[in-house]
């Protein structure tokens, strides 16, 4: 968690620095051009700043101003400080920045003097990765504390903003809508003139002193009661035109986005000042848009309306989801000056505005070009003690990633894309070919090279698996199958698209629970969560979490099905046939350990749940057995149980009745229940969520018709008028329709 926060913090610092440069350029442009740009174009100057803060990725360009101030690369150099520890990190070589240093500098950083004795001043070594959260005996590192301070500031800023928004919304929620036919007619007329088609409610309130627009999805125009009694129709018209200009420009949505970005960059005072100037330009731009719908002889009347509001001017509503017509008195003077000098926008002014915005965007919304002379191409990184001996080979062909049986895989990064590498596969030095693959240079998880007859043509193909990402208990990989003679890459069917098409699923919410139902080739899985919060999808989907392995001459893929960004209720194992297309799929319960369980998996889980002695482990057919010399509850003679590796369910040898789950940590444990009535009652509790999700009704009074013998029970149910029999694993929610075993 902290590691992810650190990476985000480093990116925020980089964006904040680049945005600061852009903000200074915009402020300088406003000062130099002054009145030569119309208010609309002055306001639009700020859009590149919002884009700069919101979009973390930038294309490279020789035109970028950051070729002179390479902030992105310098920030990375600042925080990727080499460690003096001998452990090798997990980051790829391609993730290191390129910088030319002399051997004396290297010696100073690493704490060694060996490099200073070398005759050449340039040293090319393998990278040592610095962990910003590595703690010493002294406690937390400064970077650790900085990240925590930044995160705390973000939380405080967002919390305060949300609290103010909720308070203000609550104050005006029950205020009455305006019913005056004259006012409504005037407002609808202004809407038609401004071509605003979104419905906007007019609300009369005593909670505020100035007209205020509130809301993004369902905007409301809040009008103070005192103002309604003292403003004339033409003055109301001026206010309506100004506030509708906010609606037309979608200023509130922009203000909300700006508020969120400021929360992330709360530590940067220059951005706070820039945003305050942007909002002032926003008000002037709305004035300009309103004036376009007034005859020139009425412009002074519009200014008088603002002066009338100035008499009761209060601090503006400081809520991101609102926009008021008022501003401070100094800014009101600027607005009135603009109104009295208002002229129509000319083609010359439009060209000037477009040119300025394009120049600003072109030089600040792009990144430094790594291949330019300002970015040296020589690579010098700092070695650790362990890496000096076992460093990865680097030559003009690239970095050696893997080697086996005379087959080598080398890679070098491309300037065009941070993830893609030029990967060269060489077979015995006789034939080689270069591909553009996603291949991080990671010594701890190097690519694997295997040879197997995958398509049944009698010749062993080259199977290369590359790890592209890892997470908590997750591994993402890509595979490439090459013909050994020509190194032509064979097409392997993509499992994600196929499973997203074949899996039928639904996710629903009711009674503070989330119900997930999935069906794949006649096999079902049901899971119920006791909460509804979170970014749930409408159905289960498969994304980047895919891992591949070779099982003999067959390719096997494992995929995790996601119901939300944090919940993965199921896993699917895909087996490929000789055509390198998907031959079979099998759905399993998603848990902390990947099914089906191996013998080693089961032994490890049992050792954690059972006493150190008093039981033996064995195998019976395709299932596994536990035999107790003495029963766990000290009642009766020794007992025997069987574990189903497909579900992880422990069941009784004689009856097949389930007693415990090795994979579902939240399931009820029935191990020590000896009373039959109590046992059946607990089984009903396990069945109830499945019945609720699928809409099952038991045909008989007894929900359970019997036990099949491998941990499943079967039940006769009714669904939508149809009666049938299902077999169910109560601990994992896996079930399927079967023929009645008694018939």
């Amino acid at each position: 968690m902290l590691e992810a926060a650190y990476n985000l913090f480093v990116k925020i610092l980089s964006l904040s620095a680049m945005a600061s440069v852009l903000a200074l350029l915009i402020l300088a442009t406003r000062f130099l051009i002054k009145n030569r740009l119309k208010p609309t174009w002055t306001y639009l100057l700020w859009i590149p700043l919002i884009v700069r803060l919101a979009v973390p990725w930038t294309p490279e360009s020789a035109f970028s101003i950051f070729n002179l101030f390479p902030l992105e690369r310098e920030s990375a150099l600042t925080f990727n400080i080499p460690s003096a520890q001998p452990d090798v990190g997990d980051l790829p070589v391609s993730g290191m920045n390129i910088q030319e240093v002399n051997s004396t500098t290297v010696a100073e950083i690493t704490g060694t003097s060996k490099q200073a004795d070398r005759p050449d001043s340039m040293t090319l070594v393998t990278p040592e990765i610095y962990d910003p959260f590595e703690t010493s005996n002294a406690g937390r590192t400064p970077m650790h504390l900085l990240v925590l301070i930044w995160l705390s500031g973000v939380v405080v800023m967002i919390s305060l903003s949300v609290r103010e928004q909720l308070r203000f919304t609550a104050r005006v929620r029950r205020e009455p809508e305006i019913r005056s036919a004259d006012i409504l007619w005037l407002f609808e007329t202004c809407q038609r003139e401004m071509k605003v088609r979104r419905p906007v409610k007019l609300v009369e309130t005593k909670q505020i002193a100035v007209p205020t627009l509130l809301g993004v999805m369902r905007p409301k125009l809040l009008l103070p009661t005192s103002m309604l009694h003292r403003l004339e129709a033409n003055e109301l018209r001026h206010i309506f035109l100004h506030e509708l200009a906010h609606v037309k420009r979608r200023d509130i949505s922009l203000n909300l986005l700006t508020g969120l970005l400021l929360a992330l960059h709360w530590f940067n005072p220059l951005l706070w000042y820039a945003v305050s100037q942007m909002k002032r330009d926003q008000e002037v731009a709305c004035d300009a848009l309103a004036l376009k719908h007034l005859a020139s002889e009425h412009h002074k009347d519009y200014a008088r309306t603002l002066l009338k509001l100035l008499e009761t001017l209060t601090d503006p509503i400081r809520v991101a989801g609102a926009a008021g017509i008022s501003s401070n008195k100094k800014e009101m003077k600027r607005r009135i000056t603009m109104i009295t000098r208002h002229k129509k926008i000319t083609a010359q002014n439009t060209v000037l505005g477009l040119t300025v915005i394009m120049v600003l965007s072109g030089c600040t919304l792009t990144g430094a070009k790594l291949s330019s002379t300002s970015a040296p191409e020589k690579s010098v990184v700092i070695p650790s003690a362990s890496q000096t001996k076992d460093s990865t080979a680097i030559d003009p062909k690239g970095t050696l990633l893997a080697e086996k049986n005379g087959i080598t895989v080398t890679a070098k990064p491309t300037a065009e894309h941070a993830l893609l590498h030029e990967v060269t596969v060489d077979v015995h030095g006789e034939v080689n070919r270069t591909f553009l693959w996603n291949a991080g240079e990671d010594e701890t998880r190097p690519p694997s090279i295997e040879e197997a007859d995958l398509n049944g043509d009698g010749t062993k193909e080259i199977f290369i698996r590359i790890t592209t990402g890892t997470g908590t208990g997750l591994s993402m990989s890509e595979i490439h199958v090459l013909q050994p003679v020509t190194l032509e890459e064979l097409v392997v069917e993509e499992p994600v698209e196929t499973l997203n098409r074949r899996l039928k699923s639904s996710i629903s919410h009711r009674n503070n629970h989330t119900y997930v139902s999935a069906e794949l080739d006649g096999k079902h899985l049901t899971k119920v969560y006791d909460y509804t919060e979170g970014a749930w999808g409408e159905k289960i989907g498969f994304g980047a979490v895919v891992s591949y392995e070779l099982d003999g001459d067959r390719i096997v893929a494992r995929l995790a099905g996601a119901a939300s960004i944090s919940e993965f209720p199921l896993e699917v194992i895909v087996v490929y046939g000789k055509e390198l297309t998907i031959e079979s799929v099998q759905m399993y319960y998603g848990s902390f350990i990947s099914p089906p369980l191996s013998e080693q998996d089961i032994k490890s889980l049992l050792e954690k749940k059972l006493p150190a002695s008093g039981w033996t482990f064995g195998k019976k057919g395709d299932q596994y057995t536990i035999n107790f010399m003495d029963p766990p509850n000290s009642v009766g003679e020794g007992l025997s149980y069987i574990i189903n590796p497909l579900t992880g369910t422990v069941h009784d040898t004689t009856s097949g009745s389930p007693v415990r789950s090795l994979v579902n940590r939240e399931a009820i444990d029935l191990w020590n229940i000896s009373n039959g009535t109590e046992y059946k009652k607990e089984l009903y509790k396990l069945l109830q969520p499945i019945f609720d999700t699928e809409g099952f009704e038991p045909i008989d009074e007894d929900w359970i018709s019997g036990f099949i013998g491998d941990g499943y029970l079967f039940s006769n149910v009714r669904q939508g008028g149809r009666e049938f029999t299902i077999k169910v694993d109560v601990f994992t929610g896996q079930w399927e329709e079967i023929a009645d075993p008694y018939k």
Side-chain angles (χ1 to χ4, degrees), residues 25 67 76 88 111 138 166 182 189 204 257 285 313 317 349 363 409 419 501 541 645 658 732:
L25 289 175
N67 286 303
V88 179
L166 293 177
D182 293 338
T189 301
E204 180 181 348
L257 175 60
L313 191 61
I317 304 298
N349 189 265
C363 67
V409 177
L419 295 178
R501 183 177 66 253
T732 63

Side-chain angles (χ1 to χ4, degrees), residues 176-195:
E177 292 187 32
I178 294 176
R179 301 297 182 185
S180 170
D182 293 338
I183 294 178
L184 290 176
W185 177 85
L186 178 61
F187 185 65
E188 290 171 1
T189 301
C190 293
Q191 279 186 296
R192 288 194 297 270
E193 290 179 6
M194 296 283 288
K195 296 182 180 179

